[in-house]
């Protein structure tokens, strides 16, 4: 995390009273330092008393700014400040400050992190070059210790992660996930399934996938208590909205993001119920944890009960209820069909990108706004691959449009969204996109890279 010893508002501050002008320029000078250049211009013949009053007001204002900014920097260093998107249409000065920060980091060969590097195994910030463009989010990252590995069901293990001394875990909300950087080239996303109010440890649960691409097999075969794992995040694309009542639907390991949502609904005394399905009862994790909720939870293993009766379950919900669901694609597709017939709002999180049958890839040009370079993206190439080959250090992880890591602002052009992260409103605005899978419906796309 860059140091904000001078606020972005103070990047270029100009006062133009009758007496003259003050110009303040702030330049990042490392991870926790900035250099200030203050120029004062005074009109000839200015009354010394008026000038003194003017400078006194400026000094007192600037001292107040420094106090506020120091407190804000403390908030960033605490890890409690959630990440957010940079609105390039109205925050160009922030972009300028961040760009200078990355340049300062590169000049001093310093890896940008929000926390000091803990002792032990080192790992790169991303699965690509070390310094991402400033248009992407700056994520919290640290090495965490595996406090415990526990079996939760057949083929499911939970990991309890704790920070080293001096590192504070960021706050998170139900639905959030983190990146586990398992090796230098293997990063996977897992939902946080513990208590958001526990700031001393995080918990995730990992299902061993028979057709694993390497992530779940690595966790089950190589991660043990006492190991160190570099963790990035948290991010949240499955936020729990405020609603009068909730219906939760989980399929298999999809129970993980639902668990903290249930606890949140309980704390707020909101009516809720859960339909939880799985292949077999023995394969369904956290059943003992859910027992205390009694008949609010309906457990329905497929080997004994068949497919989930979604129509009956949704049909008993009150109008206006929000449905939150996570699970395999067939379940979510069936749920979308069932919920469309009733007055319920549906939000889902997928394990994998939905299969697309009618997409046609076309070639187009991508303009890198920061350099003016024009790159040609062929039909069989992704924007991510092309910009990386050009030397642009872009953060990415899943490469399926699921995790949101590669989100990049769009300045011109019409994106063709193929991710599962953005909302309908965000897709309609077209001012951001996931460049690992999404493409372009126009001939040219201008990105904030």
């Amino acid at each position: 995390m860059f140091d904000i010893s001078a606020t972005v508002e103070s990047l270029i501050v100009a006062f133009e009273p009758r007496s003259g002008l003050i110009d303040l320029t702030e330049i990042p000078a490392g991870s926790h330092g900035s250099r200030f250049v203050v120029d004062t211009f005074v009109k000839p013949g200015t009354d010394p008393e008026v000038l003194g009053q003017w400078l006194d007001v400026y000094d007192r204002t600037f001292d107040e700014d420094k106090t506020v900014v120091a407190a804000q920097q403390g908030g960033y260093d605490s890890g409690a400040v959630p990440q957010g998107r940079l609105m390039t249409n109205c925050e160009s000065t922030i972009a300028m400050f961040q760009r200078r920060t990355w340049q300062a980091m590169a000049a001093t060969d310093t890896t940008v992190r929000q926390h000091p590097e803990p002792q032990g195994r080192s790992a790169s910030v991303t699965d690509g070059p070390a310094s991402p463009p400033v248009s992407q989010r700056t994520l919290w990252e640290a090495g965490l210790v595996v406090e415990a590995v526990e079996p939760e069901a057949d083929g499911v293990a939970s990991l309890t992660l704790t920070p080293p001394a001096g590192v504070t875990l960021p706050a998170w909300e139900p639905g959030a996930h983190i990146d586990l950087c398992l090796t230098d080239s293997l990063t996977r996303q897992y939902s946080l399934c513990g208590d958001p109010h526990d700031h001393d440890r995080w918990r995730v649960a990992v299902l061993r996938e028979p057709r694993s691409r390497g992530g779940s097999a690595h966790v089950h075969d190589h991660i043990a208590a006492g190991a160190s794992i570099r963790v990035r995040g948290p991010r949240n694309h499955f936020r729990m909205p405020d609603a009068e009542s909730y219906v939760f639907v989980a399929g298999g390991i999809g129970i993980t993001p639902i668990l903290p949502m249930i606890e949140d609904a309980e704390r707020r005394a909101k009516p809720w119920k859960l339909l939880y399905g799985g292949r077999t009862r023995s394969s369904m994790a956290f059943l003992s944890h859910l027992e205390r909720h009694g008949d609010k939870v309906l457990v329905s293993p497929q080997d004994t009960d068949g497919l989930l009766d979604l129509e009956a379950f949704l049909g008993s919900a009150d109008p206006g209820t929000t449905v939150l669901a996570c699970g395999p694609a067939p379940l979510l597709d069936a749920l979308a069909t069932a919920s469309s017939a009733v007055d319920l709002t549906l939000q889902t999180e997928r394990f994998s990108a939905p299969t697309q049958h009618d997409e046609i890839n076309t070639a187009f040009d991508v303009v890198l706004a920061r350099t003016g370079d024009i790159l040609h993206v062929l039909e069989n190439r992704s924007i991510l691959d092309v910009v990386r080959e050009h030397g642009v250090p872009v953060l990415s992880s899943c490469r399926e449009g699921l995790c949101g890591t590669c989100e990049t602002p769009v300045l011109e052009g019409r994106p063709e969204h193929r991710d599962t992260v953005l909302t309908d409103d965000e897709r309609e605005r077209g001012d951001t996109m996931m460049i690992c899978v999404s493409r372009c419906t126009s001939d040219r796309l201008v990105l904030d890279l």
Side-chain angles (χ1 to χ4, degrees):
M1 185 66 196
F2 57 81
D3 180 70
I4 52 173
S5 298
T7 59
V8 175
E9 290 87 354
S10 295
L11 184 63
I12 300 176
V13 179
F15 298 94
E16 200 165 5
R18 293 173 300 171
S19 306
L21 179 139
I22 287 181
D23 180 85
L24 166 65
T25 301
E26 176 276 323
I27 302 172
S31 60
H32 280 76
S34 300
R35 181 166 61 89
F36 297 85
V37 178
V38 181
D39 295 304
T40 304
F41 302 92
V42 181
K43 292 181 179 179
T46 297
D47 186 331
E49 183 176 350
V50 173
L51 177 61
Q53 293 173 349
W54 174 43
L55 293 176
D56 179 62
V57 169
Y58 171 78
D59 289 340
R60 285 188 284 111
T61 301
F62 188 45
D63 286 342
E64 292 172 358
D65 283 347
K66 288 192 290 186
T67 300
V68 171
V69 170
Q72 187 175 352
Q73 179 67 43
Y76 277 111
D77 284 340
S78 73
V81 180
Q83 71 276 5
R85 298 178 184 173
L86 183 65
M87 297 179 288
T88 56
N89 63 326
C90 61
E91 295 176 322
S92 58
T93 55
I94 298 178
M96 184 191 303
F97 178 82
Q98 291 182 339
R99 182 168 64 253
R100 289 181 175 180
T101 299
W102 287 114
Q103 292 169 348
M105 297 301 97
T108 57
D109 193 28
T110 302
T111 302
V112 177
R113 302 181 190 277
Q114 287 191 345
H115 289 280
E117 176 73 16
Q119 297 296 317
R121 180 181 65 87
S122 62
S124 60
V125 174
T126 73
D127 56 353
S131 298
V134 299
S135 58
Q136 292 194 294
R137 307 175 190 180
T138 301
L139 292 176
W140 182 92
E141 181 176 339
L144 302 186
V145 176
V146 179
E147 182 180 74
V149 178
E150 299 173 294
E152 301 293 348
D154 291 347
V156 179
S158 67
L159 308 182
T160 301
L161 307 170
T162 58
V167 176
T168 302
L169 293 176
W172 60 280
E173 297 177 351
H177 69 267
I178 57 175
D179 298 348
L180 297 189
C181 304
L182 302 171
T183 70
D184 289 342
S185 59
L186 185 63
T187 298
R188 294 292 182 265
Q189 292 74 42
Y190 299 101
S191 297
L192 289 166
C193 58
D195 181 1
H197 294 83
D198 185 348
H199 303 297
D200 296 324
R201 58 186 51 79
W202 282 345
R203 184 175 64 173
V204 298
V206 181
L207 168 67
R208 179 190 281 274
E209 292 282 0
R211 294 179 296 275
S212 171
R213 293 181 299 141
S216 68
H218 182 93
V219 170
H220 280 263
D221 295 339
H222 301 290
I223 302 300
S228 176
I229 301 180
R230 183 148 292 279
V231 177
R232 197 165 55 214
R235 286 189 293 265
N236 198 341
H237 305 302
F238 188 38
R239 295 186 183 279
M240 183 179 180
D242 188 17
E244 290 302 314
S245 58
Y246 299 95
V247 164
F248 302 109
V249 179
I253 198 63
I255 190 63
T256 51
I258 300 298
L259 290 176
M261 292 183 176
I262 288 173
E263 299 308 317
D264 184 76
E266 279 284 290
R267 273 190 286 266
R268 294 188 290 129
K270 296 286 187 176
W272 65 271
K273 59 181 181 178
L274 165 67
L275 176 61
Y276 182 15
R279 297 187 310 276
T280 64
R281 190 177 185 90
S282 63
S283 70
M284 300 170 68
F286 302 110
L287 289 179
S288 60
H289 176 81
L290 293 166
E291 285 178 353
R292 61 192 177 93
H293 296 301
D295 59 6
K296 290 183 178 181
V297 177
L298 175 58
V299 177
S300 183
Q302 185 176 349
D303 64 337
T304 58
D305 299 354
L307 297 177
L308 297 178
D309 190 348
L310 299 175
E311 290 79 4
F313 190 72
L314 296 182
S316 63
D318 295 330
T321 295
T322 292
V323 182
L324 293 149
C326 182
L331 169 62
L332 299 185
D333 292 341
L335 188 59
T337 300
S339 62
S340 64
V342 291
D343 184 22
L344 302 178
T345 300
L346 174 64
Q347 288 185 214
T348 64
E349 182 169 67
R350 292 178 176 266
F351 297 151
S352 59
T355 301
Q356 305 290 344
H357 301 288
D358 56 353
E359 292 178 339
I360 299 176
N361 289 351
T362 58
F364 55 92
D365 289 332
V366 168
V367 180
L368 308 182
R370 298 181 182 276
T371 62
D373 294 343
I374 301 176
L375 309 180
H376 190 62
V377 181
L378 296 173
E379 293 88 341
N380 62 343
R381 304 298 311 283
S382 70
I383 300 174
L384 175 65
D385 288 338
V386 171
V387 298
R388 276 194 166 176
E389 287 179 2
H390 190 66
V392 181
V394 180
L395 285 170
S396 72
S397 183
C398 73
R399 292 179 171 266
E400 295 184 77
L402 296 170
C403 69
T405 305
C406 68
E407 183 175 356
T408 302
V410 177
L411 304 181
E412 293 180 27
R414 297 189 303 274
E416 180 187 351
H417 299 291
R418 299 184 182 181
D419 64 278
T420 62
V421 175
L422 298 177
T423 65
D424 290 341
D425 288 342
E426 291 169 330
R427 291 168 183 266
E428 182 66 26
R429 288 203 307 269
D431 56 2
T432 188
M433 67 185 298
M434 308 304 154
I435 62 173
C436 65
V437 293
S438 297
R439 300 188 69 80
C440 178
T441 60
S442 53
D443 294 332
R444 194 179 80 139
L445 198 64
V446 181
L447 300 180
D448 188 19
L449 293 174

